[in-house]
Amino acid sequence: MRAKTLLALLITAVTTSSAQNANTAAQKKVYQTTLGGLTGGTVAPERLKTVIDSALTVRDERRKAYPVTGFRISYLFNSRFEDDETGLVTTKRALRTRDFDSDRLDPDWADSVRDNTRKGDELIFSRVMVRLPNGRKTFVPDLRIKVE
């Protein structure tokens, strides 16, 4: 009787260990977030203007696509301010941020980025969330684009 119990415990342990290893492998997928084919890094303003209204796409290492359900954009740019008293013009770094529950910027944001993009601006698409085949959602890597 003792041998049967020991055998049953051993089989349970091996089965549980195998299932945990399979789950760990599934969680270690490598995802890549892109915007209109841009994978991040530096980009010319003209190129960014042509893709800014594109959907964010996320693929794993096997090129399988996952639907994007939301993201946050942070738009860093240089803004010029003139002091009313002194007339002195200064340039300061400014930030605009907004969360979206979709796979793309809304038309107003896309138009604003398209109309105002200059060298030195940065766009960071963070908190990118995708829906997995099992229905659960997960965050994937950010996409950082700097305008050259």
Side-chain angles (χ1 to χ4, degrees), residues 3-148:
K4 287 182 181 179
T5 304
L6 187 57
L7 182 60
L9 287 174
L10 183 59
I11 291 172
T12 303
V14 170
T15 305
T16 303
S17 177
S18 297
Q20 288 174 344
N21 288 342
N23 287 339
T24 303
Q27 292 173 351
K28 290 184 180 181
K29 284 190 179 212
V30 177
Y31 298 98
Q32 183 176 40
T33 307
T34 62
L35 176 72
L38 296 177
T39 58
T42 58
V43 64
E46 297 77 22
R47 175 75 172 118
L48 180 61
K49 290 176 183 183
T50 64
V51 300
I52 195 61
D53 54 359
S54 301
L56 281 176
T57 57
V58 174
R59 295 186 184 277
D60 65 18
E61 68 276 5
R62 293 183 173 174
R63 307 292 299 149
K64 178 179 178 183
Y66 296 85
V68 174
T69 62
F71 64 93
R72 172 177 292 159
I73 185 170
S74 300
Y75 180 41
L76 294 109
F77 58 98
N78 292 321
S79 185
R80 296 175 54 134
F81 297 94
E82 181 176 347
D83 186 315
D84 292 336
E85 295 177 10
T86 64
L88 184 65
V89 177
T90 58
T91 301
K92 294 184 180 181
R93 199 79 167 139
L95 170 69
R96 288 176 51 200
T97 302
R98 181 164 170 213
D99 292 331
F100 289 91
D101 292 326
S102 67
D103 63 355
R104 66 188 71 223
L105 295 173
D106 67 25
D108 291 337
W109 259 81
D111 288 344
S112 178
V113 171
R114 188 179 293 111
D115 294 342
N116 296 298
T117 298
R118 294 189 186 106
K119 181 179 181 178
D121 291 355
E122 290 181 64
L123 286 96
I124 303 166
F125 294 87
S126 61
R127 299 187 52 83
V128 180
M129 185 175 289
V130 297
R131 183 176 313 278
L132 300 174
N134 64 7
R136 292 186 176 171
K137 294 181 181 178
T138 190
F139 290 110
V140 296
D142 298 350
L143 173 64
R144 295 173 171 267
I145 300 171
K146 183 166 184 169
V147 181
E148 59 181 12

